[in-house]
Amino acid sequence: MTFAQKYGPWAVISGASEGVGRSFALELARRGVASVLVARREAPLRALATEIREATGIECVTVSADLSDPESAATVASAVGEREVGLYISNAGADTNHSRFLDADLAAWNLMLQRNVSNMVASVHKYAGPMRERGHGGILLINSGACYAGAAYMAMYAASKAFTLTFAEGLWCELAPQGVDVLTFVLGQTDTPAYRALLTEVGKPFPTDWASPDAVAAEALAKLDKGPVQNMGFDENEEGVGPTSPAARRQRSDFISQMAAASTFEA
Ligand SMILES: NC(=O)c1ccc[n+]([C@@H]2O[C@H](COP(=O)([O-])OP(=O)(O)OC[C@H]3O[C@@H](n4cnc5c(N)ncnc54)[C@H](OP(=O)(O)O)[C@@H]3O)[C@@H](O)[C@H]2O)c1
């Protein structure tokens, strides 16, 4: 199967108005896959849709929705309508509060959890079912190195990303044998408008070695069938990723799945 046959004809991309999500939409259009572009701001989504249509002839649908609203997954699904979704990309998910846990309101943390966790779960539940029936498709959950450990100033962000990591591993165990690729792609520092704004706000210089959003999109799509976990800029067993290397995590996921199947879930 070609890329477009396996992961098309439509992708749904959260956080597509700029940065990594925008790069995914452009790269997917070059590969013949149309996108449903989701973010809050309608103007940059419409501009991107026009840019893609003029450059490639590929159509896009734009959906303005706040993913921290519990109704947003349904709003997006209703805009998707009967379109066949072969790829779901959960991308919007940076830390919205940048504070110690007790120094932000519980309500603010709950909004982040709604966007980073609940909306993602609802969307995977919606789009992965038909992929499983068709026997092909892809689930791509953008992640952060924060998924590997909790740390001060990002207890909730890291926890939401750890959820994404474990969720992806479990989904990969369940869906990969049925033809659906599942990957959580772990980013390091990346040159996005949101991260630039944060660095500016806290008075830190821009890194000289951060990844470009285009490079992230290209590498993530190239590794889509090498789940459940891959790290941006690292090879499979590269030194430095150490015990969290994709191979080690995959082995652990397989082992725990087999134990659960043997002890509880399968005859
Ligand atoms: N940049 C980095 O250095 C870095 C490092 C590690 C991991 N990551 C991960 O990479 C992903 C993208 O990060 P990012 O830096 O580009 O920032 P981001 O804020 O996660 O993503 C920006 C995109 O998401 C949209 N968005 C944000 N909040 C939204 C909401 N409530 N509802 C709908 N859309 C929303 C923004 O558009 P609107 O403003 O128009 O809504 C924009 O299109 C995240 O999952 C992040 O954890 C980034």
mmCIF file of all heavy atoms in Angstrom, residues 35-88:
data_model
loop_
_atom_site.group_PDB
_atom_site.id
_atom_site.type_symbol
_atom_site.label_atom_id
_atom_site.label_comp_id
_atom_site.label_asym_id
_atom_site.label_seq_id
_atom_site.Cartn_x
_atom_site.Cartn_y
_atom_site.Cartn_z
ATOM 1 N N SER A 35 -6.404 16.828 5.076
ATOM 2 C CA SER A 35 -6.462 16.958 6.535
ATOM 3 C C SER A 35 -7.671 17.753 7.010
ATOM 4 O O SER A 35 -8.105 18.704 6.354
ATOM 5 C CB SER A 35 -5.196 17.658 7.058
ATOM 6 O OG SER A 35 -4.072 16.842 6.862
ATOM 7 N N VAL A 36 -8.162 17.343 8.165
ATOM 8 C CA VAL A 36 -9.098 18.155 8.936
ATOM 9 C C VAL A 36 -8.234 18.911 9.937
ATOM 10 O O VAL A 36 -7.574 18.304 10.792
ATOM 11 C CB VAL A 36 -10.142 17.278 9.650
ATOM 12 C CG1 VAL A 36 -11.064 18.143 10.511
ATOM 13 C CG2 VAL A 36 -10.940 16.467 8.641
ATOM 14 N N LEU A 37 -8.184 20.223 9.791
ATOM 15 C CA LEU A 37 -7.263 21.072 10.562
ATOM 16 C C LEU A 37 -8.008 21.637 11.770
ATOM 17 O O LEU A 37 -8.982 22.374 11.602
ATOM 18 C CB LEU A 37 -6.757 22.218 9.687
ATOM 19 C CG LEU A 37 -6.172 21.825 8.322
ATOM 20 C CD1 LEU A 37 -5.931 23.072 7.467
ATOM 21 C CD2 LEU A 37 -4.865 21.051 8.513
ATOM 22 N N VAL A 38 -7.532 21.329 12.970
ATOM 23 C CA VAL A 38 -8.241 21.730 14.190
ATOM 24 C C VAL A 38 -7.364 22.649 15.041
ATOM 25 O O VAL A 38 -6.187 22.338 15.287
ATOM 26 C CB VAL A 38 -8.623 20.492 15.039
ATOM 27 C CG1 VAL A 38 -9.446 20.919 16.258
ATOM 28 C CG2 VAL A 38 -9.380 19.473 14.207
ATOM 29 N N ALA A 39 -7.913 23.757 15.477
ATOM 30 C CA ALA A 39 -7.278 24.664 16.454
ATOM 31 C C ALA A 39 -8.347 25.681 16.857
ATOM 32 O O ALA A 39 -9.479 25.621 16.353
ATOM 33 C CB ALA A 39 -6.057 25.363 15.865
ATOM 34 N N ARG A 40 -7.981 26.609 17.750
ATOM 35 C CA ARG A 40 -8.977 27.604 18.148
ATOM 36 C C ARG A 40 -9.106 28.708 17.105
ATOM 37 O O ARG A 40 -10.199 29.145 16.777
ATOM 38 C CB ARG A 40 -8.601 28.212 19.513
ATOM 39 C CG ARG A 40 -8.784 27.255 20.670
ATOM 40 C CD ARG A 40 -8.069 27.741 21.913
ATOM 41 N NE ARG A 40 -6.630 27.868 21.670
ATOM 42 C CZ ARG A 40 -5.731 28.082 22.607
ATOM 43 N NH1 ARG A 40 -6.109 28.248 23.855
ATOM 44 N NH2 ARG A 40 -4.451 28.157 22.291
ATOM 45 N N ARG A 41 -7.992 29.182 16.559
ATOM 46 C CA ARG A 41 -8.025 30.349 15.670
ATOM 47 C C ARG A 41 -8.354 29.928 14.232
ATOM 48 O O ARG A 41 -7.596 29.190 13.602
ATOM 49 C CB ARG A 41 -6.676 31.075 15.702
ATOM 50 C CG ARG A 41 -6.414 31.828 17.015
ATOM 51 C CD ARG A 41 -4.969 32.242 17.118
ATOM 52 N NE ARG A 41 -4.099 31.068 17.153
ATOM 53 C CZ ARG A 41 -2.843 31.050 16.708
ATOM 54 N NH1 ARG A 41 -2.313 32.130 16.191
ATOM 55 N NH2 ARG A 41 -2.131 29.945 16.791
ATOM 56 N N GLU A 42 -9.468 30.461 13.759
ATOM 57 C CA GLU A 42 -9.948 30.076 12.423
ATOM 58 C C GLU A 42 -9.066 30.683 11.317
ATOM 59 O O GLU A 42 -8.803 30.008 10.303
ATOM 60 C CB GLU A 42 -11.403 30.558 12.269
ATOM 61 C CG GLU A 42 -12.082 30.195 10.967
ATOM 62 C CD GLU A 42 -12.348 28.696 10.793
ATOM 63 O OE1 GLU A 42 -12.536 28.019 11.820
ATOM 64 O OE2 GLU A 42 -12.342 28.226 9.636
ATOM 65 N N ALA A 43 -8.579 31.924 11.510
ATOM 66 C CA ALA A 43 -7.874 32.607 10.404
ATOM 67 C C ALA A 43 -6.620 31.847 9.943
ATOM 68 O O ALA A 43 -6.469 31.590 8.746
ATOM 69 C CB ALA A 43 -7.536 34.043 10.807
ATOM 70 N N PRO A 44 -5.711 31.463 10.852
ATOM 71 C CA PRO A 44 -4.533 30.725 10.347
ATOM 72 C C PRO A 44 -4.877 29.350 9.776
ATOM 73 O O PRO A 44 -4.200 28.874 8.859
ATOM 74 C CB PRO A 44 -3.625 30.591 11.585
ATOM 75 C CG PRO A 44 -4.452 30.949 12.768
ATOM 76 C CD PRO A 44 -5.585 31.789 12.278
ATOM 77 N N LEU A 45 -5.951 28.740 10.264
ATOM 78 C CA LEU A 45 -6.374 27.457 9.695
ATOM 79 C C LEU A 45 -6.825 27.650 8.247
ATOM 80 O O LEU A 45 -6.449 26.895 7.344
ATOM 81 C CB LEU A 45 -7.520 26.841 10.513
ATOM 82 C CG LEU A 45 -7.186 26.372 11.931
ATOM 83 C CD1 LEU A 45 -8.441 25.823 12.606
ATOM 84 C CD2 LEU A 45 -6.103 25.297 11.912
ATOM 85 N N ARG A 46 -7.638 28.689 8.025
ATOM 86 C CA ARG A 46 -8.125 28.952 6.660
ATOM 87 C C ARG A 46 -6.968 29.305 5.729
ATOM 88 O O ARG A 46 -6.924 28.872 4.577
ATOM 89 C CB ARG A 46 -9.124 30.122 6.677
ATOM 90 C CG ARG A 46 -10.500 29.731 7.143
ATOM 91 C CD ARG A 46 -11.422 30.963 7.051
ATOM 92 N NE ARG A 46 -12.681 30.725 7.708
ATOM 93 C CZ ARG A 46 -13.729 30.165 7.123
ATOM 94 N NH1 ARG A 46 -13.658 29.796 5.868
ATOM 95 N NH2 ARG A 46 -14.853 29.984 7.786
ATOM 96 N N ALA A 47 -6.005 30.089 6.241
ATOM 97 C CA ALA A 47 -4.844 30.462 5.407
ATOM 98 C C ALA A 47 -4.044 29.215 5.030
ATOM 99 O O ALA A 47 -3.592 29.071 3.888
ATOM 100 C CB ALA A 47 -3.960 31.457 6.169
ATOM 101 N N LEU A 48 -3.886 28.308 5.976
ATOM 102 C CA LEU A 48 -3.149 27.070 5.697
ATOM 103 C C LEU A 48 -3.901 26.219 4.675
ATOM 104 O O LEU A 48 -3.299 25.653 3.750
ATOM 105 C CB LEU A 48 -2.937 26.280 7.001
ATOM 106 C CG LEU A 48 -2.240 24.925 6.871
ATOM 107 C CD1 LEU A 48 -0.852 25.068 6.247
ATOM 108 C CD2 LEU A 48 -2.134 24.253 8.256
ATOM 109 N N ALA A 49 -5.211 26.128 4.827
ATOM 110 C CA ALA A 49 -6.016 25.341 3.882
ATOM 111 C C ALA A 49 -5.854 25.891 2.466
ATOM 112 O O ALA A 49 -5.697 25.142 1.501
ATOM 113 C CB ALA A 49 -7.488 25.344 4.306
ATOM 114 N N THR A 50 -5.865 27.222 2.336
ATOM 115 C CA THR A 50 -5.691 27.851 1.018
ATOM 116 C C THR A 50 -4.297 27.552 0.467
ATOM 117 O O THR A 50 -4.134 27.195 -0.705
ATOM 118 C CB THR A 50 -5.890 29.387 1.139
ATOM 119 O OG1 THR A 50 -7.195 29.610 1.669
ATOM 120 C CG2 THR A 50 -5.754 30.072 -0.201
ATOM 121 N N GLU A 51 -3.285 27.682 1.346
ATOM 122 C CA GLU A 51 -1.898 27.418 0.929
ATOM 123 C C GLU A 51 -1.761 25.977 0.402
ATOM 124 O O GLU A 51 -1.152 25.740 -0.637
ATOM 125 C CB GLU A 51 -0.975 27.638 2.142
ATOM 126 C CG GLU A 51 0.497 27.498 1.829
ATOM 127 C CD GLU A 51 1.357 27.668 3.101
ATOM 128 O OE1 GLU A 51 0.898 28.311 4.064
ATOM 129 O OE2 GLU A 51 2.481 27.140 3.095
ATOM 130 N N ILE A 52 -2.367 25.038 1.123
ATOM 131 C CA ILE A 52 -2.259 23.625 0.735
ATOM 132 C C ILE A 52 -2.998 23.373 -0.578
ATOM 133 O O ILE A 52 -2.492 22.696 -1.475
ATOM 134 C CB ILE A 52 -2.795 22.728 1.867
ATOM 135 C CG1 ILE A 52 -1.793 22.722 3.027
ATOM 136 C CG2 ILE A 52 -3.074 21.305 1.375
ATOM 137 C CD1 ILE A 52 -2.254 21.988 4.269
ATOM 138 N N ARG A 53 -4.190 23.957 -0.691
ATOM 139 C CA ARG A 53 -4.978 23.755 -1.912
ATOM 140 C C ARG A 53 -4.217 24.301 -3.123
ATOM 141 O O ARG A 53 -4.128 23.630 -4.159
ATOM 142 C CB ARG A 53 -6.331 24.459 -1.776
ATOM 143 C CG ARG A 53 -7.313 24.099 -2.871
ATOM 144 C CD ARG A 53 -8.645 24.815 -2.697
ATOM 145 N NE ARG A 53 -9.202 24.694 -1.364
ATOM 146 C CZ ARG A 53 -9.373 25.694 -0.499
ATOM 147 N NH1 ARG A 53 -9.053 26.924 -0.851
ATOM 148 N NH2 ARG A 53 -9.881 25.495 0.695
ATOM 149 N N GLU A 54 -3.615 25.500 -2.974
ATOM 150 C CA GLU A 54 -2.904 26.105 -4.112
ATOM 151 C C GLU A 54 -1.636 25.332 -4.461
ATOM 152 O O GLU A 54 -1.271 25.204 -5.618
ATOM 153 C CB GLU A 54 -2.581 27.575 -3.790
ATOM 154 C CG GLU A 54 -3.845 28.428 -3.845
ATOM 155 C CD GLU A 54 -3.627 29.873 -3.430
ATOM 156 O OE1 GLU A 54 -2.475 30.240 -3.082
ATOM 157 O OE2 GLU A 54 -4.613 30.625 -3.438
ATOM 158 N N ALA A 55 -0.952 24.790 -3.430
ATOM 159 C CA ALA A 55 0.325 24.109 -3.691
ATOM 160 C C ALA A 55 0.137 22.692 -4.201
ATOM 161 O O ALA A 55 0.947 22.198 -4.984
ATOM 162 C CB ALA A 55 1.176 24.096 -2.413
ATOM 163 N N THR A 56 -0.928 22.020 -3.747
ATOM 164 C CA THR A 56 -1.027 20.577 -4.038
ATOM 165 C C THR A 56 -2.357 20.162 -4.660
ATOM 166 O O THR A 56 -2.477 19.034 -5.128
ATOM 167 C CB THR A 56 -0.877 19.756 -2.733
ATOM 168 O OG1 THR A 56 -1.983 20.060 -1.883
ATOM 169 C CG2 THR A 56 0.432 20.055 -2.026
ATOM 170 N N GLY A 57 -3.354 21.033 -4.623
ATOM 171 C CA GLY A 57 -4.680 20.649 -5.099
ATOM 172 C C GLY A 57 -5.456 19.822 -4.079
ATOM 173 O O GLY A 57 -6.589 19.417 -4.341
ATOM 174 N N ILE A 58 -4.851 19.580 -2.905
ATOM 175 C CA ILE A 58 -5.517 18.789 -1.861
ATOM 176 C C ILE A 58 -6.433 19.706 -1.037
ATOM 177 O O ILE A 58 -6.026 20.792 -0.625
ATOM 178 C CB ILE A 58 -4.458 18.142 -0.929
ATOM 179 C CG1 ILE A 58 -3.544 17.201 -1.719
ATOM 180 C CG2 ILE A 58 -5.101 17.471 0.274
ATOM 181 C CD1 ILE A 58 -4.051 15.820 -1.948
ATOM 182 N N GLU A 59 -7.649 19.242 -0.798
ATOM 183 C CA GLU A 59 -8.602 20.014 0.003
ATOM 184 C C GLU A 59 -8.345 19.828 1.500
ATOM 185 O O GLU A 59 -7.815 18.794 1.919
ATOM 186 C CB GLU A 59 -10.034 19.568 -0.303
ATOM 187 C CG GLU A 59 -10.585 20.092 -1.621
ATOM 188 C CD GLU A 59 -10.598 21.612 -1.694
ATOM 189 O OE1 GLU A 59 -10.875 22.263 -0.670
ATOM 190 O OE2 GLU A 59 -10.316 22.146 -2.776
ATOM 191 N N CYS A 60 -8.732 20.796 2.307
ATOM 192 C CA CYS A 60 -8.669 20.667 3.773
ATOM 193 C C CYS A 60 -9.995 21.138 4.348
ATOM 194 O O CYS A 60 -10.670 21.981 3.755
ATOM 195 C CB CYS A 60 -7.576 21.538 4.368
ATOM 196 S SG CYS A 60 -5.919 20.984 3.980
ATOM 197 N N VAL A 61 -10.339 20.608 5.510
ATOM 198 C CA VAL A 61 -11.493 21.096 6.269
ATOM 199 C C VAL A 61 -10.929 21.799 7.498
ATOM 200 O O VAL A 61 -9.974 21.300 8.111
ATOM 201 C CB VAL A 61 -12.387 19.913 6.695
ATOM 202 C CG1 VAL A 61 -13.452 20.354 7.691
ATOM 203 C CG2 VAL A 61 -13.028 19.265 5.467
ATOM 204 N N THR A 62 -11.462 22.952 7.864
ATOM 205 C CA THR A 62 -10.990 23.638 9.072
ATOM 206 C C THR A 62 -12.068 23.574 10.157
ATOM 207 O O THR A 62 -13.259 23.702 9.866
ATOM 208 C CB THR A 62 -10.638 25.111 8.781
ATOM 209 O OG1 THR A 62 -11.817 25.800 8.344
ATOM 210 C CG2 THR A 62 -9.561 25.231 7.716
ATOM 211 N N VAL A 63 -11.619 23.363 11.379
ATOM 212 C CA VAL A 63 -12.546 23.308 12.518
ATOM 213 C C VAL A 63 -11.977 24.167 13.638
ATOM 214 O O VAL A 63 -10.894 23.886 14.166
ATOM 215 C CB VAL A 63 -12.731 21.879 13.068
ATOM 216 C CG1 VAL A 63 -13.858 21.866 14.102
ATOM 217 C CG2 VAL A 63 -12.995 20.881 11.968
ATOM 218 N N SER A 64 -12.716 25.218 14.007
ATOM 219 C CA SER A 64 -12.317 26.033 15.145
ATOM 220 C C SER A 64 -12.958 25.455 16.403
ATOM 221 O O SER A 64 -14.186 25.447 16.535
ATOM 222 C CB SER A 64 -12.793 27.477 14.914
ATOM 223 O OG SER A 64 -12.610 28.212 16.095
ATOM 224 N N ALA A 65 -12.115 24.931 17.296
ATOM 225 C CA ALA A 65 -12.646 24.323 18.524
ATOM 226 C C ALA A 65 -11.602 24.451 19.621
ATOM 227 O O ALA A 65 -10.402 24.360 19.362
ATOM 228 C CB ALA A 65 -12.966 22.846 18.288
ATOM 229 N N ASP A 66 -12.080 24.670 20.846
ATOM 230 C CA ASP A 66 -11.185 24.678 22.003
ATOM 231 C C ASP A 66 -11.182 23.264 22.584
ATOM 232 O O ASP A 66 -12.195 22.806 23.128
ATOM 233 C CB ASP A 66 -11.677 25.695 23.037
ATOM 234 C CG ASP A 66 -10.711 25.804 24.216
ATOM 235 O OD1 ASP A 66 -9.878 24.884 24.411
ATOM 236 O OD2 ASP A 66 -10.786 26.819 24.942
ATOM 237 N N LEU A 67 -10.050 22.587 22.483
ATOM 238 C CA LEU A 67 -9.977 21.184 22.869
ATOM 239 C C LEU A 67 -10.026 20.983 24.378
ATOM 240 O O LEU A 67 -10.100 19.843 24.846
ATOM 241 C CB LEU A 67 -8.709 20.545 22.283
ATOM 242 C CG LEU A 67 -8.623 20.636 20.751
ATOM 243 C CD1 LEU A 67 -7.295 20.064 20.250
ATOM 244 C CD2 LEU A 67 -9.790 19.927 20.080
ATOM 245 N N SER A 68 -10.001 22.069 25.138
ATOM 246 C CA SER A 68 -10.197 21.917 26.578
ATOM 247 C C SER A 68 -11.679 22.002 26.953
ATOM 248 O O SER A 68 -12.036 21.936 28.126
ATOM 249 C CB SER A 68 -9.369 22.946 27.367
ATOM 250 O OG SER A 68 -9.597 24.216 26.870
ATOM 251 N N ASP A 69 -12.522 22.124 25.942
ATOM 252 C CA ASP A 69 -13.974 22.057 26.151
ATOM 253 C C ASP A 69 -14.405 20.591 26.016
ATOM 254 O O ASP A 69 -14.101 19.941 25.000
ATOM 255 C CB ASP A 69 -14.647 22.929 25.071
ATOM 256 C CG ASP A 69 -16.166 22.830 25.101
ATOM 257 O OD1 ASP A 69 -16.709 21.947 25.796
ATOM 258 O OD2 ASP A 69 -16.800 23.637 24.403
ATOM 259 N N PRO A 70 -15.110 20.059 27.020
ATOM 260 C CA PRO A 70 -15.508 18.646 26.965
ATOM 261 C C PRO A 70 -16.314 18.275 25.722
ATOM 262 O O PRO A 70 -16.334 17.122 25.327
ATOM 263 C CB PRO A 70 -16.349 18.458 28.238
ATOM 264 C CG PRO A 70 -15.943 19.561 29.145
ATOM 265 C CD PRO A 70 -15.508 20.708 28.278
ATOM 266 N N GLU A 71 -16.975 19.253 25.100
ATOM 267 C CA GLU A 71 -17.781 18.964 23.898
ATOM 268 C C GLU A 71 -16.960 18.969 22.614
ATOM 269 O O GLU A 71 -17.472 18.668 21.529
ATOM 270 C CB GLU A 71 -18.905 20.014 23.751
ATOM 271 C CG GLU A 71 -19.877 20.077 24.914
ATOM 272 C CD GLU A 71 -20.544 18.734 25.165
ATOM 273 O OE1 GLU A 71 -20.928 18.077 24.185
ATOM 274 O OE2 GLU A 71 -20.627 18.331 26.346
ATOM 275 N N SER A 72 -15.655 19.332 22.727
ATOM 276 C CA SER A 72 -14.906 19.607 21.490
ATOM 277 C C SER A 72 -14.692 18.375 20.620
ATOM 278 O O SER A 72 -14.703 18.482 19.391
ATOM 279 C CB SER A 72 -13.560 20.259 21.821
ATOM 280 O OG SER A 72 -12.796 19.395 22.648
ATOM 281 N N ALA A 73 -14.500 17.208 21.221
ATOM 282 C CA ALA A 73 -14.278 16.010 20.392
ATOM 283 C C ALA A 73 -15.508 15.761 19.519
ATOM 284 O O ALA A 73 -15.385 15.401 18.345
ATOM 285 C CB ALA A 73 -13.971 14.802 21.271
ATOM 286 N N ALA A 74 -16.693 15.992 20.095
ATOM 287 C CA ALA A 74 -17.933 15.805 19.318
ATOM 288 C C ALA A 74 -18.053 16.870 18.232
ATOM 289 O O ALA A 74 -18.498 16.594 17.111
ATOM 290 C CB ALA A 74 -19.139 15.850 20.255
ATOM 291 N N THR A 75 -17.626 18.105 18.553
ATOM 292 C CA THR A 75 -17.675 19.182 17.546
ATOM 293 C C THR A 75 -16.797 18.819 16.350
ATOM 294 O O THR A 75 -17.192 18.972 15.189
ATOM 295 C CB THR A 75 -17.153 20.505 18.174
ATOM 296 O OG1 THR A 75 -17.942 20.789 19.320
ATOM 297 C CG2 THR A 75 -17.199 21.655 17.189
ATOM 298 N N VAL A 76 -15.580 18.325 16.644
ATOM 299 C CA VAL A 76 -14.662 17.963 15.559
ATOM 300 C C VAL A 76 -15.238 16.780 14.771
ATOM 301 O O VAL A 76 -15.248 16.783 13.533
ATOM 302 C CB VAL A 76 -13.259 17.627 16.118
ATOM 303 C CG1 VAL A 76 -12.344 17.125 15.012
ATOM 304 C CG2 VAL A 76 -12.651 18.856 16.801
ATOM 305 N N ALA A 77 -15.756 15.785 15.497
ATOM 306 C CA ALA A 77 -16.295 14.604 14.821
ATOM 307 C C ALA A 77 -17.451 14.990 13.907
ATOM 308 O O ALA A 77 -17.585 14.453 12.798
ATOM 309 C CB ALA A 77 -16.767 13.580 15.855
ATOM 310 N N SER A 78 -18.253 15.951 14.338
ATOM 311 C CA SER A 78 -19.368 16.352 13.495
ATOM 312 C C SER A 78 -18.875 17.067 12.237
ATOM 313 O O SER A 78 -19.432 16.893 11.146
ATOM 314 C CB SER A 78 -20.319 17.170 14.354
ATOM 315 O OG SER A 78 -20.773 18.262 13.733
ATOM 316 N N ALA A 79 -17.778 17.827 12.333
ATOM 317 C CA ALA A 79 -17.201 18.457 11.125
ATOM 318 C C ALA A 79 -16.557 17.414 10.219
ATOM 319 O O ALA A 79 -16.584 17.558 8.995
ATOM 320 C CB ALA A 79 -16.161 19.511 11.537
ATOM 321 N N VAL A 80 -16.017 16.357 10.808
ATOM 322 C CA VAL A 80 -15.418 15.280 10.008
ATOM 323 C C VAL A 80 -16.506 14.570 9.215
ATOM 324 O O VAL A 80 -16.317 14.193 8.058
ATOM 325 C CB VAL A 80 -14.667 14.270 10.923
ATOM 326 C CG1 VAL A 80 -14.287 13.009 10.155
ATOM 327 C CG2 VAL A 80 -13.426 14.931 11.528
ATOM 328 N N GLY A 81 -17.675 14.411 9.827
ATOM 329 C CA GLY A 81 -18.804 13.785 9.141
ATOM 330 C C GLY A 81 -18.494 12.364 8.695
ATOM 331 O O GLY A 81 -17.935 11.577 9.450
ATOM 332 N N GLU A 82 -18.832 12.053 7.462
ATOM 333 C CA GLU A 82 -18.655 10.686 6.935
ATOM 334 C C GLU A 82 -17.284 10.471 6.313
ATOM 335 O O GLU A 82 -17.021 9.394 5.762
ATOM 336 C CB GLU A 82 -19.735 10.390 5.882
ATOM 337 C CG GLU A 82 -21.161 10.405 6.413
ATOM 338 C CD GLU A 82 -21.353 9.444 7.570
ATOM 339 O OE1 GLU A 82 -20.964 8.271 7.446
ATOM 340 O OE2 GLU A 82 -21.863 9.888 8.628
ATOM 341 N N ARG A 83 -16.411 11.466 6.388
ATOM 342 C CA ARG A 83 -15.080 11.292 5.772
ATOM 343 C C ARG A 83 -14.342 10.128 6.414
ATOM 344 O O ARG A 83 -14.423 9.935 7.629
ATOM 345 C CB ARG A 83 -14.251 12.584 5.923
ATOM 346 C CG ARG A 83 -14.777 13.722 5.085
ATOM 347 C CD ARG A 83 -13.981 15.008 5.320
ATOM 348 N NE ARG A 83 -14.569 16.109 4.554
ATOM 349 C CZ ARG A 83 -15.591 16.850 4.974
ATOM 350 N NH1 ARG A 83 -16.128 16.619 6.160
ATOM 351 N NH2 ARG A 83 -16.078 17.814 4.203
ATOM 352 N N GLU A 84 -13.587 9.402 5.594
ATOM 353 C CA GLU A 84 -12.840 8.247 6.096
ATOM 354 C C GLU A 84 -11.508 8.734 6.662
ATOM 355 O O GLU A 84 -10.662 9.248 5.935
ATOM 356 C CB GLU A 84 -12.608 7.270 4.943
ATOM 357 C CG GLU A 84 -11.969 5.979 5.372
ATOM 358 C CD GLU A 84 -11.807 5.019 4.184
ATOM 359 O OE1 GLU A 84 -12.780 4.815 3.424
ATOM 360 O OE2 GLU A 84 -10.697 4.500 4.021
ATOM 361 N N VAL A 85 -11.335 8.605 7.983
ATOM 362 C CA VAL A 85 -10.111 9.087 8.646
ATOM 363 C C VAL A 85 -9.134 7.921 8.779
ATOM 364 O O VAL A 85 -9.392 6.941 9.470
ATOM 365 C CB VAL A 85 -10.450 9.683 10.031
ATOM 366 C CG1 VAL A 85 -9.170 10.062 10.778
ATOM 367 C CG2 VAL A 85 -11.353 10.904 9.878
ATOM 368 N N GLY A 86 -7.977 8.048 8.109
ATOM 369 C CA GLY A 86 -6.958 7.004 8.167
ATOM 370 C C GLY A 86 -5.821 7.332 9.101
ATOM 371 O O GLY A 86 -4.956 6.479 9.366
ATOM 372 N N LEU A 87 -5.792 8.582 9.592
ATOM 373 C CA LEU A 87 -4.699 8.986 10.488
ATOM 374 C C LEU A 87 -5.219 10.040 11.457
ATOM 375 O O LEU A 87 -5.802 11.040 11.039
ATOM 376 C CB LEU A 87 -3.537 9.572 9.658
ATOM 377 C CG LEU A 87 -2.306 10.069 10.424
ATOM 378 C CD1 LEU A 87 -1.628 8.930 11.189
ATOM 379 C CD2 LEU A 87 -1.298 10.712 9.465
ATOM 380 N N TYR A 88 -5.035 9.802 12.750
ATOM 381 C CA TYR A 88 -5.371 10.805 13.765
ATOM 382 C C TYR A 88 -4.073 11.260 14.412
ATOM 383 O O TYR A 88 -3.285 10.428 14.882
ATOM 384 C CB TYR A 88 -6.321 10.237 14.827
ATOM 385 C CG TYR A 88 -6.417 11.117 16.045
ATOM 386 C CD1 TYR A 88 -6.982 12.396 15.953
ATOM 387 C CD2 TYR A 88 -5.901 10.718 17.274
ATOM 388 C CE1 TYR A 88 -7.040 13.235 17.057
ATOM 389 C CE2 TYR A 88 -5.963 11.555 18.379
ATOM 390 C CZ TYR A 88 -6.527 12.814 18.268
ATOM 391 O OH TYR A 88 -6.563 13.648 19.363
#
